[in-house]
Amino acid sequence: MKIIIEEPKESEEEQIIFRCREMTPELLQIIARLKAQEGLVANLGTQIHRIRPSDIYYIEVVENKTFFYCKEAVYDSKQKLYELEESLANSDMLRISKSVMLNLSKIKSLSPALNGRFEAILDNGERVIISRQYVAGLKKRLGI
């Protein structure tokens, strides 16, 4: 594979072009990661922010409101969890319960909990429960 990096002219927009004979899963993952870097739109009070998925520890839905839990703040979003799950499918985000998605890169440790569930301790010290229905998917993604 050949990689070419060119600086655009001042009047040109930055762009990425892929020339490939076949759209492989690896290439789809790269494209998804690039799109995810554009960020998700969220609110903090009256301000609108663009949040990178890699900055989110976990996403939770409480009473039909979606929240992004980040290191410094908790943002709210109008997006539904299933929409976020779809758009973040090739990222480090994984659905771990009916109402929560977790950033796997923010996990500090995992331990078994009651009734086949797991508990994840995150880099920021928060604890999140992984429902037993989602434990198999978690193990598969982590290669356990």
Side-chain angles (χ1 to χ4, degrees):
M1 178 187 326
K2 183 176 171 182
I3 297 175
I4 300 170
I5 300 174
E6 297 177 353
E7 189 173 331
K9 295 177 184 155
E10 199 161 313
S11 61
E12 291 180 333
E13 180 181 359
E14 289 182 342
Q15 60 181 329
I16 297 173
I17 300 171
F18 291 97
R19 286 196 186 108
C20 56
R21 297 197 194 319
E22 178 185 349
M23 195 61 94
T24 64
E26 293 83 10
L27 188 54
L28 287 171
Q29 189 174 23
I30 291 168
I31 292 168
R33 286 184 187 267
L34 287 170
K35 284 183 178 180
Q37 291 305 311
E38 292 175 4
L40 301 168
V41 176
N43 303 308
L44 183 61
T46 58
Q47 297 178 333
I48 298 171
H49 294 265
R50 190 169 285 281
I51 310 295
R52 290 188 323 208
S54 60
D55 292 337
I56 300 171
Y57 282 79
Y58 64 98
I59 300 170
E60 182 177 35
V61 175
V62 179
E63 296 178 2
N64 292 323
K65 293 181 183 178
T66 305
F67 298 96
F68 299 161
Y69 293 83
C70 299
K71 186 174 186 173
E72 301 295 327
V74 178
Y75 300 86
D76 62 276
S77 171
K78 296 196 183 308
Q79 286 188 280
K80 303 287 183 198
L81 196 60
Y82 73 88
E83 295 171 336
L84 292 165
E85 184 177 20
E86 205 173 273
S87 67
L88 299 170
N90 292 312
S91 71
D92 285 337
M93 298 299 284
L94 178 69
R95 184 88 168 248
I96 60 162
S97 75
K98 194 173 177 182
S99 61
V100 178
M101 286 182 71
L102 176 64
N103 187 341
L104 300 178
S105 66
K106 302 291 186 188
I107 295 175
K108 183 176 182 179
S109 65
L110 284 170
S111 59
L114 297 174
N115 299 325
R117 299 180 301 173
F118 269 68
E119 181 181 57
I121 299 174
L122 307 181
D123 292 338
N124 64 356
E126 285 200 55
R127 296 171 181 265
V128 181
I129 297 294
I130 300 150
S131 296
R132 67 173 180 241
Q133 296 94 313
Y134 295 89
V135 168
L138 173 70
K139 287 181 174 182
K140 183 178 178 186
R141 282 284 295 274
L142 294 177
I144 300 173

